[in-house]
Amino acid sequence: MKTIFLIFLLLKSFLSLSQNQELLSLRDKYCNKNCEFYSSQLSYVKNLPDFPTREPAKKNKLLKLFNIPLEKRLELFPFSEYDSIYVIKPNYLNDDKEPRDYFNEKYYNTKYLINKKQVKKFSDILFNYYEVNYSNFTNINRKKIGCDCIEREYPQLILLFVNNGKKNYIGFPFYAYNVENKRTSFSEEEFKSLDLDNQKVKKILKYFNAYNDDFFDE
């Protein structure tokens, strides 16, 4: 049993590494006029110190730097493994704490299957947008996260990924700077392969009409 589990973990790691390499390859190929800028950003981020000593003068920006075509994006995880994606708007249950079973219907009041147009946009945000870094941390107001508001303990929406009985979810926002605050049933390797950051979370929430200014600094 231990051997099977180790093989499973190695396979997950390999899939994540393979996806990261494939995404890098696609971005190199489809960066078009942004190639030089993208290359300079990779070099900049690579050489950032581990612990910056002060707030950056500029905030990070999310830009569309790539034009990876839809058919190529759909070959990447999670679209390569899940044929249905649902948007779920959670209920607020005052007597319940994390972690929650978001597959249980008592935790949401609306659920709908996203259409082809929405899949196209969602995959575009994930893989064609890139956060231009001016620091190695995302500028989120930590004090707001620690408040006692019950609604703050809940995600604004859940994306539920389904295929032949296999189900996984991501709750947004998940606060990308802190691993412990990530709301997802994906493995760490799978989650990393999605290339999510807080700027993308903002855009995803806005697109699915669940954005709340109180969760983020402007």
Side-chain angles (χ1 to χ4, degrees):
M1 182 64 72
K2 289 183 178 179
T3 302
I4 295 175
F5 180 68
L6 287 173
I7 292 174
F8 176 77
L9 289 179
L10 287 172
L11 180 60
K12 287 286 187 182
S13 298
F14 173 78
L15 290 175
S16 176
L17 180 61
S18 176
Q19 164 119 340
N20 290 338
Q21 291 174 338
E22 178 64 18
L23 181 56
L24 286 173
S25 176
L26 288 170
R27 284 178 168 174
D28 285 339
K29 182 177 181 179
Y30 293 101
C31 54
N32 301 329
K33 65 180 181 180
N34 300 306
C35 292
E36 185 175 346
F37 178 76
Y38 171 54
S39 177
S40 68
Q41 276 293 305
L42 289 179
S43 175
Y44 174 81
V45 173
K46 182 179 179 181
N47 293 299
L48 279 170
D50 290 334
F51 299 100
T53 57
R54 61 186 177 83
E55 291 288 319
K58 297 180 181 179
K59 290 187 177 181
N60 296 349
K61 293 182 179 180
L62 188 68
L63 300 177
K64 187 171 182 178
L65 298 186
F66 315 102
N67 290 296
I68 302 171
L70 177 61
E71 63 269 19
K72 295 293 184 181
R73 303 198 302 267
L74 296 185
E75 292 175 359
L76 297 170
F77 180 86
F79 308 100
S80 59
E81 291 192 21
Y82 296 90
D83 55 18
S84 301
I85 304 174
Y86 294 86
V87 171
I88 294 173
K89 300 291 181 67
N91 288 322
Y92 300 118
L93 304 179
N94 288 298
D95 59 349
D96 229 55
K97 302 295 182 182
E98 297 274 17
R100 301 178 179 88
D101 177 13
Y102 290 114
F103 305 132
N104 188 326
E105 293 184 3
K106 78 174 183 177
Y107 289 108
Y108 57 86
N109 49 30
T110 61
K111 174 183 175 182
Y112 68 87
L113 178 68
I114 70 174
N115 57 38
K116 291 181 179 179
K117 180 181 178 181
Q118 291 170 318
V119 168
K120 180 178 180 180
K121 181 61 178 179
F122 179 44
S123 65
D124 184 52
I125 294 171
L126 285 181
F127 302 126
N128 281 330
Y129 281 80
Y130 184 80
E131 185 179 59
V132 177
N133 289 279
Y134 296 102
S135 68
N136 65 342
F137 59 94
T138 303
N139 192 19
I140 283 187
N141 189 330
R142 274 77 167 168
K143 293 181 180 179
K144 289 183 180 179
I145 296 174
C147 85
D148 295 328
C149 317
I150 184 61
E151 292 192 10
R152 188 170 303 286
E153 296 181 6
Y154 281 76
Q156 296 295 288
L157 67 80
I158 309 290
L159 290 183
L160 177 61
F161 302 79
V162 180
N163 186 16
N164 291 327
K166 179 182 178 181
K167 298 189 293 185
N168 276 296
Y169 72 85
I170 302 175
F172 294 89
F174 57 79
Y175 308 115
Y177 77 92
N178 189 337
V179 174
E180 294 179 357
N181 285 328
K182 288 176 181 173
R183 301 176 170 119
T184 181
S185 60
F186 284 123
S187 69
E188 186 174 353
E189 291 79 12
E190 290 172 325
F191 187 82
K192 286 180 179 178
S193 71
L194 298 177
D195 192 42
L196 279 165
D197 54 56
N198 285 307
Q199 297 292 329
K200 286 186 182 180
V201 170
K202 285 186 182 184
K203 195 166 187 67
I204 290 168
L205 284 168
K206 284 181 177 179
Y207 182 67
F208 290 114
N209 299 313
Y211 183 72
N212 185 339
D213 280 340
D214 291 338
F215 283 88
F216 301 95
D217 283 342
E218 290 300 317

